[in-house]
Amino acid sequence: MSRALFYKEWIKLRLWWVLMLAAGVAFALVLFFKLRYVANANEAVTVWNAWIFKGWLFFRPFQYVPLVFGVALGLLQFLPEVQARRVRLVLHLPLGETRAIALHLAAGLLLLALALLPAALVFSLGGALWFPREWQGNLFHVLTPWLLAGAGAYLAAAAVLLETNWRHRVFYLLLAAGALRLFLLETFYDTCARILPALALWVLALVLVPLFSSHRFRKGLVR
Amino acid sequence: MRHAARIFLLLTGAALLAHYLPLGWHILTAGRQRVPYVYYGDTGAGFLFTRVEKAGGDTRLIHTDAAGRALERDTFESLLPLTFHAQLYKTGAMPKEIGGVAVTPGALRREQFNLRVRPDQLDTPLVPLHPVFETDNGRARLEIPPDFMRINGAAGVADAPGPGARRRAIEFLDPKTNTILPEKSALYTDAFARARFVFPVTAAGSNPTARKPYDEGIYLADAEGQVFLLRQARGRPGLVRVADHAADPAAWRALRPRHIIVNEIETRELRALIIDAGGKPWLAVGENHRLVPLPVTRYNPAADTLSLRGNLLHRLLVVQTAAAPGAAPALEAVALDRDYRVLDRHHETLPDPAARPAARAGRVLFPLAWWLAGDTSGYLGFHARVTPRDLLPAAAALNALLLAAHLLILRRNKTLAPARLPDLAATAALGLCGLLPALLLPRAG
């Protein structure tokens, strides 16, 4: 049944996922070619100096893409289910409500990761052409909070859509906005290095919220 | 699961409010901390200050002497000819000599320097690649090096590249090809081995810019705390243990540097400012690297700002200390002669921003506040403050009131149950920041 659920989600989201993947990779390639242009138009040592001493990272315009993808995927996955009340069927599957929604979330997170990781790979491989291994460390420390923000945005979108009460939806939205803003505070490379574990733990714990919302949805709780 | 989710939401809500509400309160109520700018008179006037004075709703700059007497701007500037020389030259009031020292525009420019060490500068993300400047490239100006030095820290020597080859202790990277320069790497690895440098590097300091009169080189402290100076002359490395060439080798051997700051000035007097493992600042001066302890009474490099200004006649050391438990923020200024002997000292307590009524009210309203971006580090980290002891009764009383209100609301809504204990605990501990999310949270069942 788990495979069937994954397949159902794949059928529902594949077109959108392909579009996201294409958009993510295309944007990453645009940034890569921009780097190529910068590297060709300037002395290599100038480009390295801009990176080392001014914190210039060519993939910085990608910052909000995971967040947008996360929200979009959450909406695309759960809005039709909630609008048509199809999610009620899912919640009554013999899998159990928690497992069924967890599988939906796993499918969504997997698709989100698969939509974003090729872009990250473009950055890593593209950067490796012009920068040494220290640069890869910067890429990891800068990109990871953005990817975590994407996962957090996806989970928050799922929680908001599965919630039955508008007041609580607004509360979740405010919580998500306040928390995810902190994931995007980085201004220089590696500034988030010391808070990464805390950010990752928070996103991990956030999985509980859509499960909680689905429980309330099934029970018909409106307060 | 649902209880865990609810507690997670409660904690997240309370934590976010403990972040944003104090921040909003600070934005609404904070005033500028008015720190006086300190000078030391060139003509024997002692310490002089420029202060911001608040008169009604207006602010204005006033110039005062050490006794607090207000001085006219022209008088003030005439007491500081080495600072306001441009104005005094314009009005024709610039002295030709002060205390027997001839004053010329060239000497003024050459001798003036300003070195400032902020806490966030000492704890900031850095890529561990060093440009090694040519100290003598035969050109009139310094040029940006075409390669970068990487210190691997493992003293392995590879003769041939290959899967079994070990990394060299020192590697030079060519940005043009993004590859390692084997010959130069071998040359430098040998230089480090010959100098008996013990890896790993525990502190490094250089000034990686070509906009300086000369290159001092890169100071490196090894695993045993010994300080080495690395220089490059016409592509050849020169690595020397500073203690072997210093006027006071014993002091250098005992020094355990944690931070090394290099800032070349035209007179070549300042070699480096070193902060040792105990947080004590030292200055390395002169050709023989004389080690001078900077005579400050209180300095915490992780929180305080230190500046050293110099001119033709004297040096002025200023430390602005942040508020610490049991100590108010303060300003300490020490005037030194050109041989770094203490001439005069000034100490004053600064108004504590946390002591303002609005800030104190904020500490009662929000018993816990936390933030990520501090002004003491270049990294984001979790910084928190709790209500100080003297405000605890007020904060506890407010929390008790909020707790009573919370209990009343729960009773009125007929939802007072053991499952609400975490909500009540959040209100009791965090006051408003705990109450608001507790009231907005969905029910678990």
Side-chain angles (χ1 to χ4, degrees), chain B residues 50-400:
Chain B
T50 296
R51 298 177 189 274
V52 181
E53 194 186 58
K54 203 167 180 183
D58 210 7
T59 56
R60 65 186 183 108
L61 282 182
I62 54 161
H63 307 293
T64 66
D65 63 10
R69 281 186 297 265
L71 300 169
E72 286 298 319
R73 185 172 176 176
D74 290 343
T75 316
F76 183 77
E77 288 174 352
S78 71
L79 296 172
L80 293 161
L82 302 186
T83 305
F84 297 100
H85 51 85
Q87 180 63 27
L88 296 188
Y89 273 123
K90 188 177 168 69
T91 55
M94 187 71 187
K96 294 244 179 335
E97 62 162 53
I98 302 170
V101 178
V103 179
T104 62
L108 278 175
R109 183 185 48 78
R110 208 170 42 247
E111 297 282 347
Q112 215 143 33
F113 66 86
N114 190 351
L115 177 61
R116 194 172 153 90
V117 185
R118 295 186 321 270
D120 63 323
Q121 181 186 337
L122 303 176
D123 183 38
T124 197
L126 287 173
V127 172
L129 295 177
H130 308 271
V132 184
F133 284 82
E134 278 285 346
T135 49
D136 177 18
N137 63 355
R139 309 288 308 168
R141 294 176 63 182
L142 285 172
E143 287 175 359
I144 293 171
D147 46 29
F148 286 81
M149 181 178 71
R150 172 193 283 155
I151 304 173
N152 283 322
V157 176
D159 291 317
R166 290 156 69 200
R167 288 183 314 183
R168 289 184 192 282
I170 304 295
E171 286 175 337
F172 270 83
L173 306 175
D174 181 8
K176 266 186 194 158
T177 56
N178 193 20
T179 54
I180 293 164
L181 300 167
E183 284 174 15
K184 194 166 181 182
S185 303
L187 195 66
Y188 272 72
T189 300
D190 288 347
F192 273 72
R194 273 200 310 277
R196 298 180 192 282
F197 189 94
V198 184
F199 290 103
V201 173
T202 52
S206 66
N207 185 14
T209 172
R211 291 178 187 176
K212 54 188 181 182
Y214 69 101
D215 179 58
E216 173 68 19
I218 303 175
Y219 285 90
L220 298 162
D222 74 358
E224 294 174 349
Q226 297 303 303
V227 183
F228 291 75
L229 177 58
L230 174 68
R231 281 177 166 173
Q232 177 174 281
R234 299 195 185 253
R236 307 287 305 174
L239 182 67
V240 293
R241 191 195 312 260
V242 176
D244 297 343
H245 299 81
D248 37 9
W252 275 96
R253 282 193 202 102
L255 192 67
R256 293 288 174 268
R258 190 193 293 162
H259 304 288
I260 306 173
I261 298 111
V262 177
N263 192 1
E264 292 90 345
I265 59 168
E266 215 168 304
T267 56
R268 303 197 177 213
E269 177 189 305
L270 291 188
R271 310 300 295 264
L273 192 151
I274 297 167
I275 296 166
D276 69 15
K280 193 176 172 188
W282 300 77
L283 209 58
V285 293
E287 210 167 306
N288 55 4
H289 281 91
R290 184 164 65 93
L291 213 47
V292 179
L294 290 179
V296 287
T297 50
R298 181 181 146 202
Y299 173 59
N300 173 12
D304 305 336
T305 303
L306 179 147
S307 78
L308 180 69
R309 307 200 313 259
N311 61 27
L312 200 55
L313 297 176
H314 53 253
R315 313 284 173 247
L316 181 62
L317 182 64
V318 180
V319 175
Q320 189 189 329
T321 54
L331 185 84
E332 184 182 16
V334 186
L336 307 162
D337 67 10
R338 293 204 47 161
D339 205 29
Y340 295 91
R341 286 181 298 245
V342 176
L343 294 172
D344 202 355
R345 279 179 182 277
H346 169 79
H347 183 277
E348 72 176 79
T349 305
L350 297 173
D352 187 355
R356 296 173 60 244
R360 286 171 68 78
R363 278 160 170 74
V364 172
L365 282 172
F366 317 113
L368 171 77
W370 67 276
W371 58 96
L372 283 177
D375 50 6
T376 55
S377 172
Y379 289 97
L380 295 177
F382 292 99
H383 309 272
R385 67 148 176 75
V386 289
T387 304
R389 195 169 290 178
D390 62 322
L391 292 175
L392 265 182
L398 179 67
N399 285 9

Side-chain angles (χ1 to χ4, degrees), chain A residues 78-95:
Chain A
F78 288 99
L79 195 60
E81 303 277 349
V82 174
Q83 270 188 335
R85 296 259 156 187
R86 287 202 307 249
V87 75
R88 280 193 176 280
L89 295 175
V90 173
L91 295 175
H92 287 87
L93 287 174
L95 276 171

